[in-house]
Amino acid sequence: MRYSGFQVIKQALTGHKGWTPAWRDPDPQPHYDIVIIGGGGHGLATAYYLAKEFGQKRIAVLEKGWIGGGNVGRNTTIIRSNYLLDGNEPFYEFSLKLWEGLEQDFNYNAMISQRGILNLIHSDAQRDAFIRRGNAMILNGADAEMLTTEQIKARYPYLNTNDARFPIKGGLAQHRGGTVRHDAVAWGYARGADSRGVDIIQNCEVTGFKQENGRVVGVETSRGYIGAGKVGCAVAGSSSRLMSKIDMQLPMESHVLQAFVSEGLKPVMPGVVTFGAGHFYCSQSDKGGLVFGGDLDGYNSYAQRGNLPVVEDVCEGGMAIFPAFGRARLLRMWGGIMDMSMDGSPIIDRTHIDGLYFNGGWCYGGFKATPASGFCFAHLLARDEPHPTATAYRFNRFETGHMIDEKGMGNQPNLH
Ligand SMILES: Cc1cc2nc3c(=O)[nH]c(=O)nc-3n(C[C@H](O)[C@H](O)[C@H](O)COP(=O)(O)OP(=O)(O)OC[C@H]3O[C@@H](n4cnc5c(N)ncnc54)[C@H](O)[C@@H]3O)c2cc1C
């Protein structure tokens, strides 16, 4: 069924009895041409583009839980392409362009809102760094604008620009950045993929791989063995656990990251604000809740929940720049498992085992990457060569030393 204004009116007039399920609930087939492990944003987007753009058939997405139960439905919904390095900026700008046409493309309302993102500046050194980053963005076809404190005050009157420790001296704005309703992205891609014949199989955990003559030929699952011509892994925070089943060690650690939502308020935040110096960022959802977050919990974990010291730390960061928000009550919080790579950048590559492909290492920035990640992974799976915007996301960069160290932190995953 195609969604449209006409369809909404028609269904309203006929008692909403004609809506069909958004995707099927098929049983697994004995064999597929391509099996994608992980029904998060990246796995579903990969299946969607494989079917739509690369003409592939007989595709399955295997998800151990339910669609949208992982990080795709747990993140703080921010999209942007404000990166510095060559290996990253073209890829994230490609992603932002895909976001811009996505709702029409997959015929689903994902509430994409280009309300703008602002990175705050507190020192001259930070200003120099942001001017450099803004120039790199513009050179790669993205938009960037340096704002003065006065311009920021006019847009965000609740910001405390005169904090003694973190005075706000300007900011780097990307007006095309913004927010997207995160679980609608999973549902939109799932529906789009399903309508092109992809089998989305929920409650189906991959527990092992089968190899023949050095090639992966299928996967063992909680719903039985499934044969596959090619297998693509896109399980985000569970990457190291999954790949250990085929004796692969990844340059990656898993950490927990928390998100927070306040009670609903009248509009107080027109866009997204990030306070990197104090590790806090915030936007306001269309329902009115302040959606915010900060640092990782700081220890390796596969738990989807965090601890109170980080709650305190994040709220302190928020209070430093938005003191008025201290009056709002915290309504909900949760955690997600982050696949933190050693240089903070992702991997979209073939593995050393024939037929086995890997997508992961998204750290805490993989939501905005969802469309490009899916497109580039589909390109790799279908054509066996990397997409031009993802040529740097290879495993061997950790051997050759060609790190994409956006933050200049070195091999310290907990800082990315
Ligand atoms: C609190 C928080 C805030 C964030 N904020 C942002 C943000 O504002 N902007 C941004 O760009 N990014 C953000 N991120 C990061 C982003 O959410 C992730 O990088 C991205 O969602 C990961 O890709 P995914 O959607 O495919 O992951 P997931 O949705 O986690 O998908 C992986 C799926 O694999 C499944 N799986 C695991 N093991 C198996 C198995 N053995 N068999 C079958 N299935 C399996 C899991 O159940 C899961 O559904 C945030 C993350 C968190 C936790």
Side-chain angles (χ1 to χ4, degrees):
M1 172 190 280
R2 196 170 163 76
Y3 294 161
S4 64
F6 169 74
Q7 197 59 252
V8 171
I9 296 166
K10 183 178 162 197
Q11 295 302 332
L13 294 174
T14 52
H16 289 290
K17 300 220 170 68
W19 296 113
T20 54
W23 56 84
R24 297 163 298 130
D25 188 17
D27 286 327
Q29 302 292 310
H31 189 276
Y32 292 93
D33 291 349
I34 301 181
V35 161
I36 306 294
I37 309 174
H42 294 221
L44 292 166
T46 304
Y48 173 76
Y49 291 118
L50 274 170
K52 177 169 180 279
E53 302 290 336
F54 297 96
Q56 300 295 308
K57 302 220 164 15
R58 302 192 49 75
I59 304 161
V61 177
L62 310 183
E63 165 54 47
K64 80 170 173 189
W66 66 95
I67 300 300
N71 288 344
V72 68
R74 292 168 179 268
N75 60 68
T76 37
T77 77
I78 300 167
I79 61 165
R80 58 187 170 91
S81 70
N82 51 3
Y83 280 72
L84 169 73
L85 298 181
D86 279 348
N88 278 332
E89 181 55 22
F91 172 83
Y92 285 100
E93 180 53 22
F94 176 48
S95 205
L96 196 49
K97 290 210 168 78
L98 288 173
W99 281 116
E100 284 170 338
L102 190 62
E103 289 167 310
Q104 289 72 25
D105 189 54
F106 64 22
N107 181 230
Y108 201 84
N109 179 9
M111 294 168 70
I112 295 173
S113 164
Q114 291 183 289
R115 56 186 68 184
I117 182 164
L118 173 68
N119 306 132
L120 297 175
I121 294 173
H122 309 278
S123 67
D124 291 342
Q126 216 180 0
R127 179 183 292 113
D128 287 349
F130 279 161
I131 289 175
R132 184 171 171 229
R133 195 200 293 200
N135 284 335
M137 290 163 64
I138 290 167
L139 283 172
N140 280 293
D143 65 307
E145 188 186 352
M146 298 301 294
L147 299 186
T148 63
T149 310
E150 292 312 311
Q151 286 173 305
I152 292 172
K153 268 188 191 167
R155 191 158 161 77
Y156 294 99
Y158 293 99
L159 260 181
N160 176 13
T161 49
N162 287 323
D163 182 80
R165 192 162 165 217
F166 297 109
I168 293 170
K169 298 192 164 190
L172 171 64
Q174 184 178 31
H175 301 300
R176 287 164 59 242
T179 58
V180 183
R181 180 174 170 169
H182 49 198
D183 35 21
V185 174
W187 300 333
Y189 274 123
R191 183 170 163 275
D194 175 272
S195 68
R196 288 169 175 82
V198 173
D199 281 0
I200 296 167
I201 303 164
Q202 302 182 75
N203 298 311
C204 181
E205 178 172 2
V206 172
T207 52
F209 296 86
K210 186 171 174 198
Q211 290 185 70
E212 271 172 18
N213 304 321
R215 184 180 176 87
V216 166
V217 292
V219 290
E220 302 291 348
T221 81
S222 52
R223 295 178 67 173
Y225 174 75
I226 300 174
K230 290 179 178 175
V231 176
C233 305
V235 297
S238 301
S239 293
S240 42
R241 276 209 287 210
L242 179 69
M243 301 315 276
S244 72
K245 296 183 195 307
I246 196 157
D247 290 333
M248 261 188 84
Q249 266 199 326
L250 300 175
M252 221 173 267
E253 288 182 4
S254 287
H255 285 259
V256 62
L257 178 70
Q258 301 190 54
F260 309 86
V261 178
S262 78
E263 61 187 326
L265 305 175
K266 286 186 176 170
V268 287
M269 287 277 295
V272 184
V273 173
T274 78
F275 170 38
H279 308 291
F280 173 83
Y281 62 93
C282 186
S283 65
Q284 188 169 18
S285 78
D286 292 345
K287 281 197 287 184
L290 297 170
V291 181
F292 58 97
D295 265 338
L296 296 170
D297 272 39
Y299 51 89
N300 297 149
S301 172
Y302 289 113
Q304 295 191 110
R305 62 179 182 280
N307 275 302
L308 288 172
V310 170
V311 180
E312 194 177 0
D313 183 65
V314 171
C315 292
E316 275 174 7
M319 290 295 290
I321 56 164
F322 285 112
F325 291 177
R327 305 283 298 276
R329 278 170 294 193
L330 188 57
L331 200 63
R332 313 184 268 135
M333 62 216 233
W334 61 86
I337 319 167
M338 316 309 312
D339 36 337
M340 308 298 294
S341 65
M342 290 293 150
D343 61 355
S345 293
I347 296 164
I348 303 177
D349 202 0
R350 278 190 293 247
T351 70
H352 63 288
I353 303 165
D354 273 353
L356 185 63
Y357 299 74
F358 180 79
N359 172 320
W362 293 100
C363 300
Y364 36 61
F367 178 61
K368 66 175 122 51
T370 305
S373 165
F375 198 101
C376 294
F377 200 33
H379 186 286
L380 178 71
L381 279 157
R383 301 196 180 154
D384 261 311
E385 59 184 50
H387 185 269
T389 64
T391 51
Y393 296 152
R394 314 295 292 271
F395 277 112
N396 71 357
R397 71 175 188 266
F398 299 102
E399 279 169 33
T400 61
H402 293 92
M403 313 282 260
I404 316 168
D405 191 359
E406 186 76 28
K407 289 197 174 176
M409 302 281 197
N411 283 352
Q412 217 167 325
N414 58 315
L415 295 181
H416 291 296

